[in-house]
Amino acid sequence: MIRLALAATLLLAAPAEAHKLKLFAAAEGAVIVGTAYFSGGDAARGLTGRVLAPDGAEIATFNTGEDGGFRIEALSRMDHTLSVDGGDGHVASTTVAAAELPRSLPASPLSGMVMSPPAAPSAAADMPVAATDAIEAAVARQIRPLRQQLDAYEDKVRLHDLIGGVGTIFGLFGIYAWVSARRRSR
Amino acid sequence: MAHIPDGVLSTPVLLAGAVVSAAGVAFGLRRLDPVRVPRVAVLSAVLFIASLVHLPAGPASVHLLLNGLAGIVLGSAAFPAMLVALLLQAVLFGFGGVVVLGVNTMDMAVPALAAGMVFRLAWTGGDPRRAAVLGAVAGGGAVLLTAVMVGGVLAASGREFATAARVVVLTHLPVMAVEAVFTAAAVALLARVKPEMLTSGAARPA
């Protein structure tokens, strides 16, 4: 009876779920959109996150919403490192590369702090940039769910990992038993 | 939760954890009877998989630790069993970091040892029902101690202890309950069918 209950508990537990904080972020135009979640898919609600410049300076902070989501306005074209802290030792971070952000943003991380608009030399030169930005933002919006899914998939615990791990454990202890048996027989 | 990722703890804490765990593993292996190695391997595999048994707990999600059970069955050999299980979890699943392996092993194995010692002092064979009650206390207590230790190492790395400990202990209250029931069931079963597994630990008979 007890054995049955134990077996049922172990079998019913979804093997794909576990407790690890994950952070996904991607740029949609000049906005960095992302979510924080626990591996297994549960949203990480109400966490505080920080946005860091490449030199480690804190640019901004954000809070995750009910669904673990957040949006941050990027002010300059540089690598944005995002990190969230669960407070109980769970942290996660990810980087949105400068290349993902639109070219119309100022490149210097320092000028990004003050909201200086990019110096537009002429309307004619500015037009194609704006058009490219719109296309890039649209494409980014379309593929974001896909990227997010891929990101989650990468971290999924799969059966072969599980079996490989158990096999490795038995192998390691087998080697230990073999070595200690040899030592004894001598 | 003894899956602290890399980059959270400070270097002195990491070093201290590594030293404690290395000493524990060395001690555990030296006292380990080669005949009992398969038992350690089985428990290590169980610990490895236990982290995937996932329970929703309010806003967070938690999983079984089973370190109380490991301590009861393995005694000091819980250290090597835990180290191997945590290493493979870190490598294969990305749970917890590799650098913090020492601290994570310490947080899991020290309560395991304590639970095992308490259990063996209080139960020397006999009534399985008494064993079940003691198993529940040992299982729940080991989880609580692990949670407090996680809060402690977080505090030692510059976080506010009260906050960290409260969060960790609160999220682990449901685990404590489940773990107590689970350990009680497992221990009651062992006490009935294989009581020598509970009284000896994995050490050489002195």
Side-chain angles (χ1 to χ4, degrees):
Chain A
M1 181 56 208
I2 293 168
R3 229 178 298 191
L4 210 80
L6 292 189
T9 315
L10 290 172
L11 284 176
L12 283 176
E17 295 185 327
H19 201 196
K20 180 190 173 193
L21 187 59
K22 294 265 297 166
L23 182 62
F24 172 81
E28 278 181 14
V31 182
I32 296 170
V33 186
T35 49
Y37 58 99
F38 293 104
S39 60
D42 294 338
R45 294 179 205 95
L47 297 187
T48 305
R50 300 189 306 150
V51 187
L52 304 176
D55 58 359
E58 186 175 312
I59 312 170
T61 59
F62 60 90
N63 287 309
T64 64
E66 268 303 293
D67 56 349
F70 56 87
R71 297 174 76 85
I72 308 152
E73 195 94 29
L75 299 179
S76 63
R77 195 161 189 258
M78 60 173 177
D79 291 354
H80 286 70
T81 301
L82 279 60
S83 71
V84 286
D85 189 336
D88 57 349
H90 285 117
V91 292
S93 66
T94 185
T95 300
V96 177
E100 278 195 55
L101 293 163
R103 256 181 286 266
S104 55
L105 289 174
S108 157
L110 288 172
S111 67
M113 299 300 288
V114 277
M115 271 271 277
S116 61
S122 72
D126 211 29
M127 264 301 284
V129 172
T132 328
D133 282 359
I135 294 168
E136 276 178 355
V139 172
R141 198 159 40 241
Q142 297 295 325
I143 64 169
R144 193 175 73 86
L146 209 63
R147 292 182 55 184
Q148 192 162 0
Q149 209 175 357
L150 204 64
D151 188 63
Y153 183 73
E154 210 168 65
D155 216 59
K156 209 171 160 171
V157 173
R158 283 178 279 273
L159 189 63
H160 61 242
D161 289 337
L162 211 69
I163 294 170
V166 171
T168 310
I169 289 172
F170 280 99
L172 279 176
F173 282 105
I175 291 168
Y176 177 79
W178 177 56
V179 169
S180 62
R182 260 170 50 124
R183 204 184 303 143
R184 267 181 140 199
S185 66
R186 243 186 268 148
Chain B
M1 199 283 305
H3 287 135
I4 302 175
D6 283 336
V8 176
L9 301 177
S10 62
T11 316
V13 177
L14 291 175
L15 284 177
V19 168
V20 170
S21 291
V25 169
F27 176 69
L29 285 179
R30 227 191 33 195
R31 295 214 329 159
L32 177 62
D33 184 347
V35 177
R36 299 219 162 104
V37 168
R39 186 195 288 182
V40 184
V42 170
L43 255 293
S44 186
V46 169
L47 291 168
F48 168 71
I49 291 179
S51 73
L52 299 173
V53 181
H54 172 94
L55 312 159
S61 56
V62 289
H63 56 76
L64 287 177
L65 303 179
L66 290 188
N67 54 346
L69 183 64
I72 291 170
V73 177
L74 296 180
S76 57
F79 259 105
M82 205 68 81
L83 176 70
V84 171
L86 286 173
L87 172 69
L88 285 167
Q89 282 177 356
V91 172
L92 290 175
F93 305 155
F95 297 170
V98 176
V99 182
V100 293
L101 207 55
V103 175
N104 284 341
T105 306
M106 174 180 78
D107 286 351
M108 289 281 281
V110 169
L113 235 62
M117 262 192 274
V118 167
F119 182 85
R120 264 190 293 281
L121 279 179
W123 194 78
T124 46
D127 187 11
R129 224 166 301 162
R130 190 173 142 77
V133 172
L134 285 167
V137 171
V143 173
L144 179 65
L145 190 52
T146 294
V148 170
M149 284 180 74
V150 169
V153 295
L154 288 174
S157 300
R159 278 153 202 268
E160 201 193 329
F161 176 74
T163 320
R166 197 173 58 233
V167 173
V168 177
V169 171
L170 275 183
T171 53
H172 276 77
L173 286 180
V175 196
M176 271 175 63
V178 176
E179 185 106 6
V181 173
F182 192 95
T183 310
V187 167
L189 179 71
L190 286 174
R192 209 164 296 136
V193 299
K194 226 173 178 323
E196 71 272 15
M197 259 186 94
L198 297 177
T199 46
S200 59
R204 289 191 184 95

